[in-house]
Amino acid sequence: MKRITRKFEFDSGHRVMRHESKCRNIHGHRYVAEITVQSEELDELGRVVDFGVLKKVIGSWIDTYLDHCYIANPKDPAISLLVTEDWKFYTMPQCRPNPTAENLAEELGVRSIELLDGTGLEVYSVRLFETPNCWADWGNQNARD
């Protein structure tokens, strides 16, 4: 397998409901996501895929849904204010509701799989930095090595 990784950066706010410390409060991060895709064969130019394809497909999804928004647990009472004020927000799925780095890494992985369906590319992993010193890794259990 041949692999490449594309880095994406975005700014979002969130809070971790029921957190035992200050992260239960609304705050923001400059997230950095490293998304690795793979293919068995290289294209005629010797690439897994042009990096611009990942920017266009995955980057545009990130810009549309996650950049400069509030990432919400579906049970977060702040959602009613966000709706009232017509502020941008993204609601996490019920299966991984709290917008922790771990859950966001998985959400990016699952969404990337959906976005790249039919392209011949396989999402291998996601590394999501919440801060320069703290990150979460997600690996696609269905990916081939």
Side-chain angles (χ1 to χ4, degrees), residues 67-97:
D67 189 45
H68 284 80
C69 82
Y70 180 76
I71 303 171
N73 181 316
K75 294 182 180 176
D76 192 331
I79 291 174
S80 61
L81 174 63
L82 299 166
V83 169
T84 300
E85 296 297 326
D86 194 29
W87 290 336
K88 182 179 175 183
F89 68 97
Y90 180 79
T91 306
M92 293 291 289
Q94 291 290 344
C95 59
R96 51 186 168 278

PDB file of all heavy atoms in Angstrom, residues 67-97:
ATOM      1  N   ASP A  67     -15.306  24.559  10.286  1.00  0.00           N
ATOM      2  CA  ASP A  67     -14.499  25.761  10.467  1.00  0.00           C
ATOM      3  C   ASP A  67     -15.357  26.922  10.966  1.00  0.00           C
ATOM      4  O   ASP A  67     -16.435  27.184  10.427  1.00  0.00           O
ATOM      5  CB  ASP A  67     -13.805  26.146   9.159  1.00  0.00           C
ATOM      6  CG  ASP A  67     -12.798  27.256   9.371  1.00  0.00           C
ATOM      7  OD1 ASP A  67     -12.019  27.191  10.346  1.00  0.00           O
ATOM      8  OD2 ASP A  67     -12.795  28.210   8.575  1.00  0.00           O
ATOM      9  N   HIS A  68     -14.861  27.606  11.979  1.00  0.00           N
ATOM     10  CA  HIS A  68     -15.543  28.755  12.576  1.00  0.00           C
ATOM     11  C   HIS A  68     -16.986  28.435  12.954  1.00  0.00           C
ATOM     12  O   HIS A  68     -17.926  29.121  12.555  1.00  0.00           O
ATOM     13  CB  HIS A  68     -15.469  29.985  11.669  1.00  0.00           C
ATOM     14  CG  HIS A  68     -14.127  30.626  11.715  1.00  0.00           C
ATOM     15  ND1 HIS A  68     -13.065  30.147  11.003  1.00  0.00           N
ATOM     16  CD2 HIS A  68     -13.679  31.698  12.413  1.00  0.00           C
ATOM     17  CE1 HIS A  68     -12.011  30.898  11.247  1.00  0.00           C
ATOM     18  NE2 HIS A  68     -12.341  31.837  12.114  1.00  0.00           N
ATOM     19  N   CYS A  69     -17.125  27.361  13.701  1.00  0.00           N
ATOM     20  CA  CYS A  69     -18.444  26.990  14.196  1.00  0.00           C
ATOM     21  C   CYS A  69     -18.307  26.468  15.620  1.00  0.00           C
ATOM     22  O   CYS A  69     -17.203  26.347  16.152  1.00  0.00           O
ATOM     23  CB  CYS A  69     -19.096  25.948  13.298  1.00  0.00           C
ATOM     24  SG  CYS A  69     -18.577  24.257  13.602  1.00  0.00           S
ATOM     25  N   TYR A  70     -19.428  26.157  16.197  1.00  0.00           N
ATOM     26  CA  TYR A  70     -19.484  25.518  17.507  1.00  0.00           C
ATOM     27  C   TYR A  70     -19.825  24.058  17.269  1.00  0.00           C
ATOM     28  O   TYR A  70     -20.821  23.746  16.597  1.00  0.00           O
ATOM     29  CB  TYR A  70     -20.545  26.193  18.376  1.00  0.00           C
ATOM     30  CG  TYR A  70     -20.688  25.595  19.752  1.00  0.00           C
ATOM     31  CD1 TYR A  70     -19.747  25.857  20.740  1.00  0.00           C
ATOM     32  CD2 TYR A  70     -21.760  24.772  20.070  1.00  0.00           C
ATOM     33  CE1 TYR A  70     -19.870  25.321  22.015  1.00  0.00           C
ATOM     34  CE2 TYR A  70     -21.898  24.229  21.339  1.00  0.00           C
ATOM     35  CZ  TYR A  70     -20.946  24.502  22.303  1.00  0.00           C
ATOM     36  OH  TYR A  70     -21.064  23.967  23.556  1.00  0.00           O
ATOM     37  N   ILE A  71     -19.001  23.158  17.771  1.00  0.00           N
ATOM     38  CA  ILE A  71     -19.238  21.725  17.613  1.00  0.00           C
ATOM     39  C   ILE A  71     -19.955  21.259  18.877  1.00  0.00           C
ATOM     40  O   ILE A  71     -19.416  21.347  19.978  1.00  0.00           O
ATOM     41  CB  ILE A  71     -17.924  20.959  17.397  1.00  0.00           C
ATOM     42  CG1 ILE A  71     -17.188  21.528  16.173  1.00  0.00           C
ATOM     43  CG2 ILE A  71     -18.203  19.473  17.220  1.00  0.00           C
ATOM     44  CD1 ILE A  71     -15.780  20.994  15.985  1.00  0.00           C
ATOM     45  N   ALA A  72     -21.183  20.775  18.705  1.00  0.00           N
ATOM     46  CA  ALA A  72     -22.069  20.544  19.843  1.00  0.00           C
ATOM     47  C   ALA A  72     -22.393  19.078  20.070  1.00  0.00           C
ATOM     48  O   ALA A  72     -22.604  18.310  19.123  1.00  0.00           O
ATOM     49  CB  ALA A  72     -23.378  21.310  19.635  1.00  0.00           C
ATOM     50  N   ASN A  73     -22.462  18.730  21.340  1.00  0.00           N
ATOM     51  CA  ASN A  73     -23.093  17.494  21.769  1.00  0.00           C
ATOM     52  C   ASN A  73     -24.581  17.666  21.461  1.00  0.00           C
ATOM     53  O   ASN A  73     -25.143  18.740  21.706  1.00  0.00           O
ATOM     54  CB  ASN A  73     -22.854  17.332  23.280  1.00  0.00           C
ATOM     55  CG  ASN A  73     -23.448  16.072  23.865  1.00  0.00           C
ATOM     56  OD1 ASN A  73     -24.570  15.691  23.583  1.00  0.00           O
ATOM     57  ND2 ASN A  73     -22.677  15.439  24.732  1.00  0.00           N
ATOM     58  N   PRO A  74     -25.266  16.652  20.916  1.00  0.00           N
ATOM     59  CA  PRO A  74     -26.689  16.830  20.577  1.00  0.00           C
ATOM     60  C   PRO A  74     -27.570  17.196  21.774  1.00  0.00           C
ATOM     61  O   PRO A  74     -28.662  17.724  21.588  1.00  0.00           O
ATOM     62  CB  PRO A  74     -27.106  15.497  19.968  1.00  0.00           C
ATOM     63  CG  PRO A  74     -25.958  14.574  20.112  1.00  0.00           C
ATOM     64  CD  PRO A  74     -24.764  15.346  20.531  1.00  0.00           C
ATOM     65  N   LYS A  75     -27.084  16.951  23.000  1.00  0.00           N
ATOM     66  CA  LYS A  75     -27.859  17.289  24.195  1.00  0.00           C
ATOM     67  C   LYS A  75     -27.441  18.628  24.813  1.00  0.00           C
ATOM     68  O   LYS A  75     -27.922  19.000  25.883  1.00  0.00           O
ATOM     69  CB  LYS A  75     -27.713  16.185  25.238  1.00  0.00           C
ATOM     70  CG  LYS A  75     -28.331  14.867  24.778  1.00  0.00           C
ATOM     71  CD  LYS A  75     -28.211  13.809  25.844  1.00  0.00           C
ATOM     72  CE  LYS A  75     -28.852  12.520  25.331  1.00  0.00           C
ATOM     73  NZ  LYS A  75     -28.684  11.421  26.279  1.00  0.00           N
ATOM     74  N   ASP A  76     -26.575  19.364  24.137  1.00  0.00           N
ATOM     75  CA  ASP A  76     -26.075  20.628  24.678  1.00  0.00           C
ATOM     76  C   ASP A  76     -27.187  21.679  24.641  1.00  0.00           C
ATOM     77  O   ASP A  76     -27.714  21.999  23.574  1.00  0.00           O
ATOM     78  CB  ASP A  76     -24.882  21.106  23.853  1.00  0.00           C
ATOM     79  CG  ASP A  76     -24.116  22.247  24.505  1.00  0.00           C
ATOM     80  OD1 ASP A  76     -24.727  23.027  25.257  1.00  0.00           O
ATOM     81  OD2 ASP A  76     -22.911  22.352  24.244  1.00  0.00           O
ATOM     82  N   PRO A  77     -27.555  22.246  25.801  1.00  0.00           N
ATOM     83  CA  PRO A  77     -28.601  23.279  25.803  1.00  0.00           C
ATOM     84  C   PRO A  77     -28.197  24.551  25.052  1.00  0.00           C
ATOM     85  O   PRO A  77     -29.064  25.363  24.717  1.00  0.00           O
ATOM     86  CB  PRO A  77     -28.844  23.557  27.290  1.00  0.00           C
ATOM     87  CG  PRO A  77     -27.680  22.990  28.009  1.00  0.00           C
ATOM     88  CD  PRO A  77     -27.088  21.924  27.147  1.00  0.00           C
ATOM     89  N   ALA A  78     -26.911  24.723  24.760  1.00  0.00           N
ATOM     90  CA  ALA A  78     -26.473  25.894  23.998  1.00  0.00           C
ATOM     91  C   ALA A  78     -27.017  25.885  22.569  1.00  0.00           C
ATOM     92  O   ALA A  78     -27.064  26.929  21.922  1.00  0.00           O
ATOM     93  CB  ALA A  78     -24.944  25.960  23.972  1.00  0.00           C
ATOM     94  N   ILE A  79     -27.443  24.731  22.085  1.00  0.00           N
ATOM     95  CA  ILE A  79     -27.956  24.633  20.706  1.00  0.00           C
ATOM     96  C   ILE A  79     -29.139  25.571  20.500  1.00  0.00           C
ATOM     97  O   ILE A  79     -29.259  26.202  19.449  1.00  0.00           O
ATOM     98  CB  ILE A  79     -28.312  23.177  20.341  1.00  0.00           C
ATOM     99  CG1 ILE A  79     -27.027  22.346  20.230  1.00  0.00           C
ATOM    100  CG2 ILE A  79     -29.121  23.111  19.055  1.00  0.00           C
ATOM    101  CD1 ILE A  79     -27.247  20.863  20.005  1.00  0.00           C
ATOM    102  N   SER A  80     -30.006  25.702  21.497  1.00  0.00           N
ATOM    103  CA  SER A  80     -31.175  26.583  21.318  1.00  0.00           C
ATOM    104  C   SER A  80     -30.741  28.024  21.090  1.00  0.00           C
ATOM    105  O   SER A  80     -31.331  28.732  20.263  1.00  0.00           O
ATOM    106  CB  SER A  80     -32.129  26.477  22.509  1.00  0.00           C
ATOM    107  OG  SER A  80     -31.475  26.873  23.697  1.00  0.00           O
ATOM    108  N   LEU A  81     -29.707  28.481  21.779  1.00  0.00           N
ATOM    109  CA  LEU A  81     -29.184  29.830  21.548  1.00  0.00           C
ATOM    110  C   LEU A  81     -28.568  29.935  20.152  1.00  0.00           C
ATOM    111  O   LEU A  81     -28.786  30.926  19.447  1.00  0.00           O
ATOM    112  CB  LEU A  81     -28.139  30.195  22.603  1.00  0.00           C
ATOM    113  CG  LEU A  81     -27.421  31.530  22.381  1.00  0.00           C
ATOM    114  CD1 LEU A  81     -28.399  32.695  22.446  1.00  0.00           C
ATOM    115  CD2 LEU A  81     -26.297  31.701  23.393  1.00  0.00           C
ATOM    116  N   LEU A  82     -27.819  28.916  19.751  1.00  0.00           N
ATOM    117  CA  LEU A  82     -27.198  28.928  18.426  1.00  0.00           C
ATOM    118  C   LEU A  82     -28.254  29.027  17.326  1.00  0.00           C
ATOM    119  O   LEU A  82     -28.082  29.775  16.363  1.00  0.00           O
ATOM    120  CB  LEU A  82     -26.350  27.664  18.238  1.00  0.00           C
ATOM    121  CG  LEU A  82     -25.189  27.488  19.222  1.00  0.00           C
ATOM    122  CD1 LEU A  82     -24.654  26.072  19.175  1.00  0.00           C
ATOM    123  CD2 LEU A  82     -24.089  28.485  18.941  1.00  0.00           C
ATOM    124  N   VAL A  83     -29.334  28.298  17.487  1.00  0.00           N
ATOM    125  CA  VAL A  83     -30.422  28.343  16.503  1.00  0.00           C
ATOM    126  C   VAL A  83     -31.082  29.712  16.510  1.00  0.00           C
ATOM    127  O   VAL A  83     -31.298  30.319  15.455  1.00  0.00           O
ATOM    128  CB  VAL A  83     -31.451  27.219  16.783  1.00  0.00           C
ATOM    129  CG1 VAL A  83     -32.708  27.402  15.944  1.00  0.00           C
ATOM    130  CG2 VAL A  83     -30.834  25.847  16.534  1.00  0.00           C
ATOM    131  N   THR A  84     -31.381  30.231  17.695  1.00  0.00           N
ATOM    132  CA  THR A  84     -32.035  31.542  17.820  1.00  0.00           C
ATOM    133  C   THR A  84     -31.207  32.645  17.172  1.00  0.00           C
ATOM    134  O   THR A  84     -31.745  33.511  16.480  1.00  0.00           O
ATOM    135  CB  THR A  84     -32.279  31.879  19.311  1.00  0.00           C
ATOM    136  OG1 THR A  84     -33.122  30.882  19.864  1.00  0.00           O
ATOM    137  CG2 THR A  84     -32.906  33.251  19.470  1.00  0.00           C
ATOM    138  N   GLU A  85     -29.906  32.602  17.372  1.00  0.00           N
ATOM    139  CA  GLU A  85     -29.014  33.633  16.840  1.00  0.00           C
ATOM    140  C   GLU A  85     -28.534  33.348  15.417  1.00  0.00           C
ATOM    141  O   GLU A  85     -27.806  34.148  14.844  1.00  0.00           O
ATOM    142  CB  GLU A  85     -27.810  33.802  17.769  1.00  0.00           C
ATOM    143  CG  GLU A  85     -28.165  34.310  19.143  1.00  0.00           C
ATOM    144  CD  GLU A  85     -28.767  35.704  19.113  1.00  0.00           C
ATOM    145  OE1 GLU A  85     -28.372  36.533  18.264  1.00  0.00           O
ATOM    146  OE2 GLU A  85     -29.651  35.975  19.956  1.00  0.00           O
ATOM    147  N   ASP A  86     -28.939  32.205  14.868  1.00  0.00           N
ATOM    148  CA  ASP A  86     -28.525  31.801  13.520  1.00  0.00           C
ATOM    149  C   ASP A  86     -26.998  31.702  13.407  1.00  0.00           C
ATOM    150  O   ASP A  86     -26.393  32.153  12.443  1.00  0.00           O
ATOM    151  CB  ASP A  86     -29.090  32.748  12.458  1.00  0.00           C
ATOM    152  CG  ASP A  86     -28.978  32.169  11.053  1.00  0.00           C
ATOM    153  OD1 ASP A  86     -28.994  30.931  10.906  1.00  0.00           O
ATOM    154  OD2 ASP A  86     -28.848  32.957  10.091  1.00  0.00           O
ATOM    155  N   TRP A  87     -26.383  31.116  14.449  1.00  0.00           N
ATOM    156  CA  TRP A  87     -24.940  30.906  14.461  1.00  0.00           C
ATOM    157  C   TRP A  87     -24.620  29.521  13.928  1.00  0.00           C
ATOM    158  O   TRP A  87     -25.378  28.564  14.120  1.00  0.00           O
ATOM    159  CB  TRP A  87     -24.386  31.057  15.872  1.00  0.00           C
ATOM    160  CG  TRP A  87     -24.417  32.469  16.387  1.00  0.00           C
ATOM    161  CD1 TRP A  87     -24.427  33.621  15.651  1.00  0.00           C
ATOM    162  CD2 TRP A  87     -24.443  32.873  17.751  1.00  0.00           C
ATOM    163  NE1 TRP A  87     -24.443  34.714  16.474  1.00  0.00           N
ATOM    164  CE2 TRP A  87     -24.454  34.289  17.773  1.00  0.00           C
ATOM    165  CE3 TRP A  87     -24.456  32.195  18.961  1.00  0.00           C
ATOM    166  CZ2 TRP A  87     -24.475  35.015  18.952  1.00  0.00           C
ATOM    167  CZ3 TRP A  87     -24.470  32.914  20.137  1.00  0.00           C
ATOM    168  CH2 TRP A  87     -24.483  34.317  20.126  1.00  0.00           C
ATOM    169  N   LYS A  88     -23.484  29.419  13.284  1.00  0.00           N
ATOM    170  CA  LYS A  88     -23.057  28.160  12.680  1.00  0.00           C
ATOM    171  C   LYS A  88     -22.680  27.153  13.770  1.00  0.00           C
ATOM    172  O   LYS A  88     -21.921  27.465  14.683  1.00  0.00           O
ATOM    173  CB  LYS A  88     -21.847  28.418  11.767  1.00  0.00           C
ATOM    174  CG  LYS A  88     -21.333  27.215  11.035  1.00  0.00           C
ATOM    175  CD  LYS A  88     -20.162  27.603  10.144  1.00  0.00           C
ATOM    176  CE  LYS A  88     -19.525  26.419   9.474  1.00  0.00           C
ATOM    177  NZ  LYS A  88     -18.359  26.809   8.668  1.00  0.00           N
ATOM    178  N   PHE A  89     -23.225  25.938  13.644  1.00  0.00           N
ATOM    179  CA  PHE A  89     -22.837  24.867  14.556  1.00  0.00           C
ATOM    180  C   PHE A  89     -22.941  23.526  13.839  1.00  0.00           C
ATOM    181  O   PHE A  89     -23.616  23.387  12.829  1.00  0.00           O
ATOM    182  CB  PHE A  89     -23.660  24.879  15.847  1.00  0.00           C
ATOM    183  CG  PHE A  89     -25.115  24.525  15.688  1.00  0.00           C
ATOM    184  CD1 PHE A  89     -25.560  23.237  15.929  1.00  0.00           C
ATOM    185  CD2 PHE A  89     -26.039  25.495  15.332  1.00  0.00           C
ATOM    186  CE1 PHE A  89     -26.900  22.906  15.804  1.00  0.00           C
ATOM    187  CE2 PHE A  89     -27.383  25.186  15.199  1.00  0.00           C
ATOM    188  CZ  PHE A  89     -27.814  23.884  15.439  1.00  0.00           C
ATOM    189  N   TYR A  90     -22.214  22.565  14.372  1.00  0.00           N
ATOM    190  CA  TYR A  90     -22.224  21.194  13.864  1.00  0.00           C
ATOM    191  C   TYR A  90     -22.571  20.291  15.041  1.00  0.00           C
ATOM    192  O   TYR A  90     -21.948  20.373  16.093  1.00  0.00           O
ATOM    193  CB  TYR A  90     -20.847  20.816  13.309  1.00  0.00           C
ATOM    194  CG  TYR A  90     -20.781  19.409  12.762  1.00  0.00           C
ATOM    195  CD1 TYR A  90     -21.279  19.125  11.503  1.00  0.00           C
ATOM    196  CD2 TYR A  90     -20.234  18.380  13.510  1.00  0.00           C
ATOM    197  CE1 TYR A  90     -21.226  17.837  10.995  1.00  0.00           C
ATOM    198  CE2 TYR A  90     -20.177  17.086  13.012  1.00  0.00           C
ATOM    199  CZ  TYR A  90     -20.676  16.824  11.753  1.00  0.00           C
ATOM    200  OH  TYR A  90     -20.627  15.538  11.251  1.00  0.00           O
ATOM    201  N   THR A  91     -23.560  19.451  14.862  1.00  0.00           N
ATOM    202  CA  THR A  91     -23.981  18.545  15.919  1.00  0.00           C
ATOM    203  C   THR A  91     -23.338  17.187  15.719  1.00  0.00           C
ATOM    204  O   THR A  91     -23.449  16.590  14.645  1.00  0.00           O
ATOM    205  CB  THR A  91     -25.518  18.405  15.936  1.00  0.00           C
ATOM    206  OG1 THR A  91     -26.096  19.705  16.017  1.00  0.00           O
ATOM    207  CG2 THR A  91     -25.979  17.563  17.100  1.00  0.00           C
ATOM    208  N   MET A  92     -22.660  16.721  16.747  1.00  0.00           N
ATOM    209  CA  MET A  92     -22.035  15.404  16.709  1.00  0.00           C
ATOM    210  C   MET A  92     -23.113  14.327  16.643  1.00  0.00           C
ATOM    211  O   MET A  92     -24.231  14.533  17.116  1.00  0.00           O
ATOM    212  CB  MET A  92     -21.168  15.199  17.956  1.00  0.00           C
ATOM    213  CG  MET A  92     -19.950  16.099  18.035  1.00  0.00           C
ATOM    214  SD  MET A  92     -18.681  15.712  16.808  1.00  0.00           S
ATOM    215  CE  MET A  92     -18.047  14.165  17.450  1.00  0.00           C
ATOM    216  N   PRO A  93     -22.792  13.173  16.078  1.00  0.00           N
ATOM    217  CA  PRO A  93     -23.787  12.093  16.010  1.00  0.00           C
ATOM    218  C   PRO A  93     -24.043  11.473  17.388  1.00  0.00           C
ATOM    219  O   PRO A  93     -23.188  11.545  18.285  1.00  0.00           O
ATOM    220  CB  PRO A  93     -23.137  11.075  15.065  1.00  0.00           C
ATOM    221  CG  PRO A  93     -21.681  11.354  15.129  1.00  0.00           C
ATOM    222  CD  PRO A  93     -21.540  12.821  15.428  1.00  0.00           C
ATOM    223  N   GLN A  94     -25.198  10.873  17.550  1.00  0.00           N
ATOM    224  CA  GLN A  94     -25.585  10.261  18.821  1.00  0.00           C
ATOM    225  C   GLN A  94     -24.609   9.169  19.269  1.00  0.00           C
ATOM    226  O   GLN A  94     -24.421   8.955  20.462  1.00  0.00           O
ATOM    227  CB  GLN A  94     -26.986   9.654  18.709  1.00  0.00           C
ATOM    228  CG  GLN A  94     -28.093  10.669  18.584  1.00  0.00           C
ATOM    229  CD  GLN A  94     -28.326  11.440  19.867  1.00  0.00           C
ATOM    230  OE1 GLN A  94     -27.897  11.070  20.951  1.00  0.00           O
ATOM    231  NE2 GLN A  94     -29.017  12.565  19.756  1.00  0.00           N
ATOM    232  N   CYS A  95     -23.965   8.493  18.320  1.00  0.00           N
ATOM    233  CA  CYS A  95     -23.066   7.390  18.676  1.00  0.00           C
ATOM    234  C   CYS A  95     -21.754   7.865  19.295  1.00  0.00           C
ATOM    235  O   CYS A  95     -21.047   7.079  19.936  1.00  0.00           O
ATOM    236  CB  CYS A  95     -22.816   6.496  17.472  1.00  0.00           C
ATOM    237  SG  CYS A  95     -22.095   7.342  16.051  1.00  0.00           S
ATOM    238  N   ARG A  96     -21.383   9.111  19.100  1.00  0.00           N
ATOM    239  CA  ARG A  96     -20.189   9.697  19.721  1.00  0.00           C
ATOM    240  C   ARG A  96     -20.478  11.175  19.991  1.00  0.00           C
ATOM    241  O   ARG A  96     -19.961  12.059  19.327  1.00  0.00           O
ATOM    242  CB  ARG A  96     -18.950   9.491  18.853  1.00  0.00           C
ATOM    243  CG  ARG A  96     -19.054   9.877  17.433  1.00  0.00           C
ATOM    244  CD  ARG A  96     -17.802   9.504  16.622  1.00  0.00           C
ATOM    245  NE  ARG A  96     -18.100   9.645  15.229  1.00  0.00           N
ATOM    246  CZ  ARG A  96     -18.725   8.745  14.478  1.00  0.00           C
ATOM    247  NH1 ARG A  96     -19.065   7.591  14.992  1.00  0.00           N
ATOM    248  NH2 ARG A  96     -18.982   8.970  13.216  1.00  0.00           N
ATOM    249  N   PRO A  97     -21.335  11.430  20.990  1.00  0.00           N
ATOM    250  CA  PRO A  97     -21.908  12.773  21.150  1.00  0.00           C
ATOM    251  C   PRO A  97     -20.970  13.869  21.637  1.00  0.00           C
ATOM    252  O   PRO A  97     -21.090  15.000  21.180  1.00  0.00           O
ATOM    253  CB  PRO A  97     -23.047  12.546  22.151  1.00  0.00           C
ATOM    254  CG  PRO A  97     -22.636  11.341  22.924  1.00  0.00           C
ATOM    255  CD  PRO A  97     -21.873  10.480  21.958  1.00  0.00           C
TER     256      PRO A  97
END
